[in-house]
Amino acid sequence: MNKDEGVRRAVTMRDVAREAGVSVSTVSHVVNNTDARIGQDARERVLRAIDELGYRPNAMAKNLVKGSSRFIGLVADAIASTPFAGRIIHGAQEEAWQHGHVLLVANTEGNTAAEASAISMMLEHKVRGILYSTWYHREVAVPAGLAAPDTVLVNCFSAQADVRAVVPDESGGGHDATRMLLDQGHRHVAFLNTRAPSPAREGRLLGYRRALAEAGIAYDPGLVFQVRPEQEGGFAAVPALLRSPATAVFCHNDRVAMGLYDGLRDRGLRVPDDLSVVGFDNQEVIAAHMRPPLSTVALPHEELGRRGVRVLLGLEPAEAGPIAVNCPPVHRRSIAAAEPR
């Protein structure tokens, strides 16, 4: 048997034209529902031939005729390999589906050539617009080829005044994390902040200071410790913390909090009996399974994806520049009421 036997050849527009007894141009006008004057009899013959032959219009060709498509592009640098794997993608995909669009995703792993190629192919397919996302919140240079009106940055922002962006509210999250401890009567709240310059570092510190000021507590720089933003950073901070008057600690992220737990356990101390702890990120594989489960503040990755799509489709008004998305508190069992002193 010939290897091609039994394999059905794709039906073309030319096949439809031959079956209907019309020109290929006439079939194209019917398929793409243009304003061209096509007689009713010819139109019906074309539609009947399409049905009988099982013709499926080429999506790319239709996009070129209409000037846009039902596709939305999402270009990410490493989002599929992060601890928050796929949450931005999932949120964007769900929102796109609700409005009759499909997400085309390119995960470039930071490869600039791959990024440029992905953007070029998406534009060739006449996508409705492109979401450009990074795996951690930071300032970016908008890649060449992305036009501001058809681009929304997600989890990142640009210095360009005309580029729309959707980012986590780092300051609000830092404020709410600190309030979780202040609301339980703690007056000496330490902050283990990252050493690395970033919007998270600056924003969370700003929120921490704002919460203290609202509670009438003077800011004490001696209670702010610069640490590596990982488990080892939290572990290494324990001796200095225990020499301080702190009864509660806000950690830059959940990994720092995990290290703090380990360091306290090594000294026979317990959370929250000896020290109340709050993290940041709500990295559930960590926070929900620590002992006790860690109170934290969630990075709203799914909501960032959803809001990015809404802004792109014009469903949500947005000025140029960043839109801050709320980081909700997640209450678990790592906080106890402060003992009277």
Side-chain angles (χ1 to χ4, degrees):
M1 177 184 290
N2 186 290
K3 66 178 181 179
D4 292 326
E5 287 181 12
V7 178
R8 185 177 179 182
R9 181 176 63 84
V11 177
T12 68
M13 199 174 288
R14 189 174 299 279
D15 295 327
V16 174
R18 187 181 302 113
E19 178 72 16
V22 298
S23 68
V24 173
S25 174
T26 297
V27 174
S28 177
H29 285 303
V30 173
V31 167
N32 292 298
N33 197 27
T34 69
D35 293 331
R37 289 188 175 183
I38 305 295
Q40 186 61 30
D41 179 63
R43 184 180 298 275
E44 288 178 358
R45 293 203 311 274
V46 169
L47 293 174
R48 186 163 52 249
I50 287 173
D51 183 58
E52 291 174 354
L53 296 175
Y55 172 70
R56 296 184 65 183
N58 181 281
M60 178 63 179
K62 292 188 72 174
N63 294 344
L64 292 173
V65 170
K66 294 182 178 180
S68 65
S69 73
R70 289 292 187 177
F71 293 122
I72 292 173
L74 189 151
V75 177
D77 61 353
I79 202 168
S81 57
T82 69
F84 309 102
R87 288 187 182 177
I88 289 177
I89 293 174
H90 184 265
Q93 182 172 265
E94 288 287 321
E95 191 69 25
W97 279 344
Q98 287 182 24
H99 302 289
H101 288 73
V102 174
L103 207 64
L104 296 179
V105 180
N107 187 48
T108 66
E109 296 296 338
N111 183 310
T112 53
E115 178 179 275
S117 178
I119 291 171
S120 177
M121 285 189 288
M122 288 179 179
L123 294 176
E124 286 175 9
H125 279 76
K126 300 291 184 180
V127 292
R128 173 63 180 78
I130 294 178
L131 305 178
Y132 183 81
S133 182
T134 55
W135 76 269
Y136 71 91
H137 180 195
R138 67 180 187 271
E139 182 176 349
V140 297
V142 179
L146 292 184
D150 301 314
T151 301
V152 177
L153 305 181
V154 178
N155 205 36
C156 54
F157 61 96
S158 168
Q160 291 180 224
D162 60 342
V163 180
R164 298 167 298 174
V166 180
V167 299
D169 184 358
E170 303 282 9
S171 176
H175 171 274
D176 291 351
T178 308
R179 285 291 331 173
M180 293 169 76
L181 298 165
L182 295 173
D183 287 347
Q184 291 300 313
H186 294 280
R187 306 288 292 177
H188 300 282
V189 178
F191 180 26
L192 301 187
N193 201 7
T194 178
R195 297 171 180 168
S198 66
R201 180 179 187 267
E202 304 306 324
R204 294 173 197 182
L205 177 60
L206 184 64
Y208 166 80
R209 296 189 64 165
R210 180 160 58 90
L212 293 177
E214 290 172 357
I217 299 172
Y219 170 67
D220 179 0
L223 286 176
V224 177
F225 302 87
Q226 310 299 319
V227 303
R228 292 166 59 187
E230 53 202 36
Q231 193 169 354
E232 290 77 5
F235 187 91
V238 171
L241 270 175
L242 295 181
R243 290 193 297 269
S244 79
T247 61
V249 184
F250 164 33
C251 297
H252 174 78
N253 63 31
D254 296 344
R255 289 174 294 150
V256 170
M258 179 187 288
L260 176 58
Y261 270 48
D262 292 342
L264 292 173
R265 190 178 300 110
D266 278 2
R267 290 162 175 78
L269 301 175
R270 300 178 60 182
V271 175
D273 299 345
D274 298 295
L275 201 65
S276 290
V277 180
V278 169
F280 204 111
D281 288 352
N282 193 33
Q283 193 170 328
E284 290 194 29
V285 69
I286 294 176
H289 300 286
M290 292 168 65
R291 295 292 178 266
L294 178 67
S295 296
T296 186
V297 171
L299 280 172
H301 289 100
E302 283 199 21
E303 185 62 17
L304 291 174
R306 289 184 180 277
R307 296 283 291 275
V309 169
R310 292 184 62 80
V311 170
L312 186 66
L313 295 179
L315 301 171
E316 181 172 326
E319 301 292 335
I323 297 170
V325 177
N326 179 55
C327 299
V330 180
H331 295 267
R332 295 193 178 99
R333 299 202 304 274
S334 62
I335 305 173
E339 294 183 3
R341 292 194 172 187

